[in-house]
Amino acid sequence: MEYEKSEEIIVERPTVLECDVVRFQNNKEKWVAFVGLLDGRPYEIFTGIQDDDEGIVLPKTVVSGKIIRQTNEDGTHRYDFQFENRRGYKTTVEGLSEKFNPDCWNYAKLISGVLRYRMPIRLVVKLIESLTFREEMLNMWKNGVARALKKYMPEGE
C-alpha cells in the first residue's frame, strides 16, 4: 500500500469540507467538479455538466468554497456547495446530488469511496481512465474527472 501508516483514514465524513471548483470542457459542453478536501487531499468529488437551467450558476471567479452535508427530515443526506462572493456574502447551491446526471452521481460516489480510503491519486486516476462505458457522455465525464484529479498528484507522477 502506498499511503503512509501515519495517515489516518477518516471514514465518518466531517459535516463541512473545504472544496476546490474545477471547470473543464468536454466536446463543447461546460463541466464542473466540486472536489471536497480533507487536509488538502481529495476526499470526495461531485461532478457533471454545468447547467444554468438546473441552478448551478457560479461566477467564473469562484474557485473554492465548502461542501456542507445536511441531514433531511427523513434521515437522508444532501450535499450543498457554499461560496463567498466578492462582497463577502455567502451563496449556497443546495442539493448537488440533484443537479447532475444520476449515473455521474453514482460513479462519483464510488470514486469518492476510493478517495476516502486514501488510495494514491495516481492510482485513482489510472482506475478512472480504465473505465469503459457504452454511453459517450459517461466516457466524456470520466475523462474530465481524471483531469480534475490529476491536479492533486504530487509533482513528477
Side-chain angles (χ1 to χ4, degrees):
M1 199 124 196
E2 287 190 34
Y3 72 88
E4 295 180 26
K5 290 183 181 180
S6 63
E7 282 190 70
E8 183 180 355
I9 296 173
I10 309 292
V11 178
E12 185 62 33
R13 185 203 188 275
T15 303
V16 178
L17 285 178
E18 293 301 315
C19 169
D20 284 341
V21 177
V22 181
R23 291 172 178 84
F24 52 95
Q25 230 173 287
N26 280 327
N27 288 343
K28 293 183 182 186
E29 295 177 318
K30 292 180 181 178
W31 290 61
V32 63
F34 299 91
V35 182
L37 305 170
L38 183 64
D39 301 325
R41 185 184 194 288
Y43 183 81
E44 65 189 5
I45 189 166
F46 301 85
T47 186
I49 296 173
Q50 186 168 336
D51 185 350
D52 293 346
D53 291 341
E54 290 298 317
I56 303 230
V57 179
L58 295 177
K60 291 178 183 175
T61 56
V62 175
V63 295
S64 63
K66 297 177 185 330
I67 297 177
I68 304 166
R69 180 180 176 196
Q70 304 283 354
T71 302
N72 298 319
E73 288 181 15
D74 63 0
T76 59
H77 300 287
R78 77 167 199 260
Y79 298 87
D80 299 341
F81 172 69
Q82 187 177 82
F83 65 93
E84 199 171 289
N85 69 20
R86 289 181 179 175
R87 293 181 301 253
Y89 293 104
K90 291 180 178 149
T91 302
T92 303
V93 178
E94 295 183 348
L96 289 178
S97 62
E98 302 301 318
K99 305 292 184 196
F100 299 127
N101 174 294
D103 289 331
C104 294
W105 171 254
N106 284 323
Y107 287 115
K109 280 174 69 172
L110 287 171
I111 293 165
S112 295
V114 171
L115 292 170
R116 285 188 179 108
Y117 282 92
R118 303 284 189 175
M119 182 182 228
I121 299 299
R122 70 176 178 77
L123 295 178
V124 175
V125 169
K126 188 175 179 179
L127 172 68
I128 294 166
E129 290 174 339
S130 73
L131 296 173
T132 305
F133 298 106
R134 290 184 182 168
E135 283 186 54
E136 185 56 30
M137 188 272 302
L138 286 173
N139 283 308
M140 290 188 320
W141 170 84
K142 75 159 187 174
N143 294 336
V145 171
R147 282 197 312 268
L149 290 176
K150 279 181 183 178
K151 80 177 244 178
Y152 299 98
M153 289 172 45
E155 283 189 43
E157 283 192 12

